[in-house]
Structure formats: C-alpha cells, structure tokens
Amino acid sequence: MEDDGVRERDARAYETVHEAADFTELKRRYRNFVVPWTVAFMVWYLAYVACNNWARGFMSQQVVGNINVALVFGLLQFVSTFAIAAVYGRFANRKLDPLASGLNAKYKRERRR
C-alpha cells in the first residue's frame, strides 16, 4: 500500500515540474540548440558521402604528399563531432544546467510533500 502512495507522490511531483514554465523553457532551449546543429552536421556528413560517390576527381586531389581531399574531409568529420560536443557542453553549462538544477530541486521539494 505504501508503494502506491510513493508512486502517486512521485507522479504528482513530476506533473508539477512538467507544468512549470522553466521546464518548457528548458525543452525550448534544448530543441533550439539540437535541431540546427543536427541538421548542419547531417548536411556536412551527406555532402562528404555525396562527394565520395559523385565527385571522385575532387576527392582524390592530393593536398600534401599522399594526403588527399577525401582523407582531410574524413578527418574533419571527427573534428566537427568533437567541436559540436564541446560547443554543446559549454551551452548546456550556461543555458540548460541552471534550469535543470532548479527543476530538480523543485521535484525533490514536491516529493517530500
């Protein structure tokens, strides 16, 4: 029986947090970061794949020694992934974490009621 009371209290606490303006703002900020960066990365990745398939002359051009454009583009895929992760980390620390911490504190307060 007590389990039902705990679950009900947790559900009420979650609903309270879910209805908070900060929760809506957190989702909005997250979405406004993730969607454009995901689209940008996918365009960059698909451009790389398309060039490898249909622009072989361009991709096989030598840059330095045996290093060609395809190898540089391939390495830049890794660099861009880590760059986006670093930008996201800074963004999350500045814009998402303060809201998430406040919501977490609110959730814990509501659970104690």
Side-chain angles (χ1 to χ4, degrees):
M1 289 291 182
E2 194 172 353
D3 238 5
D4 291 338
V6 170
R7 287 181 188 167
E8 186 178 316
R9 189 175 61 231
D10 288 350
R12 276 196 318 265
Y14 176 78
E15 287 173 13
T16 300
V17 169
H18 185 264
E19 293 168 357
D22 283 352
F23 186 73
T24 303
E25 178 63 16
L26 179 65
K27 289 191 314 183
R28 185 192 68 76
R29 288 181 187 182
Y30 177 77
R31 186 176 47 249
N32 286 346
F33 181 91
V34 169
V35 171
W37 279 99
T38 300
V39 169
F41 182 80
M42 291 305 296
V43 167
W44 160 233
Y45 175 73
L46 292 174
Y48 170 64
V49 171
C51 286
N52 274 324
N53 284 321
W54 295 292
R56 292 179 186 240
F58 169 68
M59 296 299 273
S60 65
Q61 287 181 359
Q62 300 297 315
V63 176
V64 176
N66 289 332
I67 298 173
N68 62 15
V69 173
L71 181 61
V72 171
F73 275 28
L75 292 174
L76 286 175
Q77 290 291 316
F78 288 102
V79 171
S80 63
T81 300
F82 287 110
I84 292 169
V87 169
Y88 175 76
R90 285 197 343 245
F91 172 79
N93 287 336
R94 280 190 347 267
K95 301 287 185 177
L96 301 179
D97 289 352
L99 283 174
S101 294
L103 289 167
N104 188 39
K106 184 176 195 164
Y107 177 77
K108 288 179 179 178
R109 278 193 311 273
E110 289 296 324
R111 280 189 70 214
R112 280 186 243 136
R113 287 184 174 186

